[in-house]
Every structure is written in C-alpha cells, then in structure tokens.
Amino acid sequence: MAKKIGILTGGGDCPGLNAVIRAAVKSAINDYSYEVLGIEAGFEGLMVSAVKTLTMESIRGILPKGGTLLRTTNRGNPFEYPVTEEGGKRCEDRSGACLYNIERLGLEGIIVIGGDGTLKIAERFYEMGVPIVAVPKTIDNDLDATDYTFGFMTAVSVATDAVDRLHSTAESHNRVMILEVMGRNAGWIALYSGIAGGADIILIPEIPYDPQAIVDSIKSRQEEGSDFDLMVVAEGAKRVGGEEVYTDKVAKRLGGVAYQVATEISEHIDLETRVTVLGHLQRGGSPIPFDRLLATRYGKAAVDLVARGKFGRMVALRQDKIVDVPILSAISNPKYVDPSGQVVTTARSLGISFGEPTKG
Ligand code: F6P
C-alpha cells in the first residue's frame, strides 16, 4: 500500500503557497509514489478530519496563483482552540482530536507550511511524536534560519511598484508621500522596497525615528531643489521612546504609524503630506519568479525529508542551497534588520534618511 502523507498551510496566506503544494505533490507522486492528503484550513482541518486527496489533476494550473488551494487560518491553534459558549469565550485543548485523526488517516508524514505561529504548533506536535516537516512561509522574511522565506520578494515587488507610482504623483504635486508597508516587527519589506524604489526616507522598527530628523531631511532636500519626498514606513516603526501603533491593540494588529508620522511632521514643513497604506495587496496575487522557484525547491526538499524520516526539521535557504534545520531553531530566532549592516549602510551612502536623531 502507498505511504500516505499530509500537507497543510497555516497562518496568513502568502504568494507561493500553491507553488510549494504543487512541487510537494509532484515530487511525492513522481519520486516516491506516495498518496498525498491535503488538509484543509491548517490544523483546523486535522481536528475535524477535513482532507482531500491531491492528485496531479488537482494541482494543475496552481503554480502562478496567489492564496492557497488548501485554505488557511491564523486562529486555529488546536492547543488553545477558542470556543464561544453561553457566558463568554474560553479556550479548549483539541490536540487530542488531531492526534486521533493523524492515526486514523494513517499519515506517515505531515508537511506544515507556515510562519512562526504555525511552526510553534508544529513543533509541539513533533515533540508529541507526530512526524512533521516544516516549510517557512512569511512575507515578513523575519526567520533567522533561512536567507529568504518565499513570498517576501513578491511583497517587495508590490511595494516597489507602489513607490514608483507614488513618485510621479509626489513630484507633480510637490507632496510628501508616505507609504506604509507590512512586515510586523521587522523592517525588511520597507528597507528593500524603499531602496529599490528610490525612497528618500525609510522608517523601520530597528531604527526608532525622531520626527525632527525627518523634517530636517525634507528641508535639506528642498534646499537642494527637490520639493517632494518619498517615505516608506514599516508598520512596526516607532518613534524614539515611543511604541508601535496598532489598529487593534488586543489582537496586536499593527497599522497606522504612517498617519502618526504625517501628523508629527506636517506642521513643520511647507509641503502637503499624503498617506497610503498598502495592506494586503502585498500578500495577494501571483508570486514573482524568485518566489515560485524558491517555493518549488522548498516543496521538493520537504518531501525528501519525509522520505528520509528527518522529522522535526524545516527546509531553509542558505547561500543558495536548500538545507534543513531544527524547527525549534527557526521559531526561537527571529531575524531583524541590522542597523549597521551592509544594506542599511548602502542606503545611507545614497543619502537615504532613517529618521534617526542627529547626534550631539
Ligand atoms: O505576517 C504577515 C503579515 O502580513 C504581517 O506583515 C502583518 O502584520 C500581518 O500578517 C497581518 O495579518 P492579518 O492578515 O491577520 O491582518
């Protein structure tokens, strides 16, 4: 009888998820003659045994598609599953139902594609004896274990396109255009798209900003004859001595720091200021070729790990090679922008301001 493996996508969606699924299914069937079960909506599908067999037919045409064929959720932690009853909400441990279904379905390996939240759940199951292999996913690129997560470069490409489009309108109207991008507490998307789009100011969480430094930078460009500015702000950016800005503090949903920056600087400059929040446009749609390729390499490598019985491992990209690392190391080491690293130094040499307070 064919060995049966499962595959699921958890957490927020990300361009390239379908490319991983496609590569994993193709490699599982072509190289190992496995039967592949797609588990619906992350770990929630495991709780209720919502699975479907993935064949060559079912994955046809999904390579360029955004989102995930298997659907996903960032609310389905089986160890703390939220239930609403009379008298309010509480959390229930439903991991037992997952374990029961894994056994009943006869899964000899599960490929979990997710970001840090999903990988934490995966690691817990692995420690309970579940044969899990992980694939890192997030547009934020904030995992130290890998050079790049798939989806990041697509988000950078969307954000760069937005900077380009804002450029012409900023110049036509003599305005300061502020673009807020995603990335949670890491400034990668802002840094890369800001440099690629030729921004004048980039604000990232790793370098707290001083509104006066931003004002000074805008004025000094005006003195040089440029009456417009492009600013890219990471959603997790914060003022020196300040805190992150949330649209929902309880849910820890970041957003709105660009409006805060606009308010802080607009009284001190004689240019109009406008804000654009790019939001989920960065997550939706077709992955760029870099992400399709990376996702494909990850999907194939994950199946190889299952075949070799190397569980509790995550595929990662290091110096253009696909390697595997413990899932635990991936979830315990976030990756942030190094304020004195090469990319930031390059940006500084080009005259890009990070809004840092002037020394002295
Ligand atoms: O982690 C990916 C990400 O897109 C972050 O950049 C962003 O802060 C968050 O997810 C948004 O999550 P949601 O889709 O739940 O609003």
Side-chain angles (χ1 to χ4, degrees), residues 256-269:
V257 65
Y259 289 100
Q260 173 180 295
V261 173
T263 309
E264 287 165 339
I265 62 168
S266 54
E267 272 188 23
H268 308 283
I269 53 176

Side-chain angles (χ1 to χ4, degrees), residues 12-13 74-75 137-140 142 182-184 189 235 252-254 280 283:
D13 71 342
N74 43 19
R75 288 184 227 298
K137 165 243 58 158
T138 170
I139 62 164
D140 304 333
D142 58 352
M182 283 183 167
R184 282 206 295 188
I189 299 175
E235 62 180 358
K252 286 206 170 299
R253 198 165 297 136
L254 288 162
H280 291 81
R283 284 231 310 253

Side-chain angles (χ1 to χ4, degrees), residues 174-247:
N174 289 358
R175 282 175 172 164
V176 176
M177 289 293 192
I178 310 181
L179 176 70
E180 181 174 309
V181 298
M182 283 183 167
R184 282 206 295 188
N185 302 103
W188 296 108
I189 299 175
L191 180 66
Y192 275 45
S193 64
I195 296 174
D200 308 296
I201 301 163
I202 301 174
L203 305 183
I204 56 175
E206 294 86 347
I207 307 178
Y209 72 88
D210 172 10
Q212 186 57 49
I214 300 172
V215 169
D216 291 346
S217 161
I218 293 170
K219 287 189 173 163
S220 94
R221 255 174 63 82
Q222 278 187 292
E223 279 160 21
E224 288 162 12
S226 294
D227 276 330
F228 69 96
D229 287 84
L230 261 295
M231 195 186 319
V232 181
V233 182
E235 62 180 358
K238 43 188 186 287
R239 191 182 162 141
V240 176
E243 288 184 357
E244 292 95 349
V245 180
Y246 293 98
T247 53

Side-chain angles (χ1 to χ4, degrees), residues 188 190-192 194-202 204 207 337-354 356:
W188 296 108
L191 180 66
Y192 275 45
I195 296 174
D200 308 296
I201 301 163
I202 301 174
I204 56 175
I207 307 178
V337 173
D338 175 1
S340 47
Q342 212 176 54
V343 185
V344 173
T345 315
T346 302
R348 288 188 208 282
S349 296
L350 300 182
I352 295 173
S353 163
F354 286 89
E356 289 163 291

Side-chain angles (χ1 to χ4, degrees), residues 281-355:
L281 288 173
Q282 291 156 98
R283 284 231 310 253
S286 190
I288 63 166
F290 178 91
D291 284 330
R292 292 184 199 187
L293 182 63
L294 182 58
T296 299
R297 293 176 76 190
Y298 278 161
K300 186 256 183 299
V303 174
D304 287 344
L305 286 181
V306 172
R308 285 155 61 203
K310 282 189 92 178
F311 298 114
R313 312 287 294 179
M314 184 191 84
V315 294
L317 181 76
R318 292 224 179 120
Q319 295 177 343
D320 207 31
K321 289 228 156 32
I322 303 291
V323 298
D324 58 273
V325 298
I327 298 175
L328 199 57
S329 80
I331 56 184
S332 27
N333 297 309
K335 179 171 66 183
Y336 298 115
V337 173
D338 175 1
S340 47
Q342 212 176 54
V343 185
V344 173
T345 315
T346 302
R348 288 188 208 282
S349 296
L350 300 182
I352 295 173
S353 163
F354 286 89

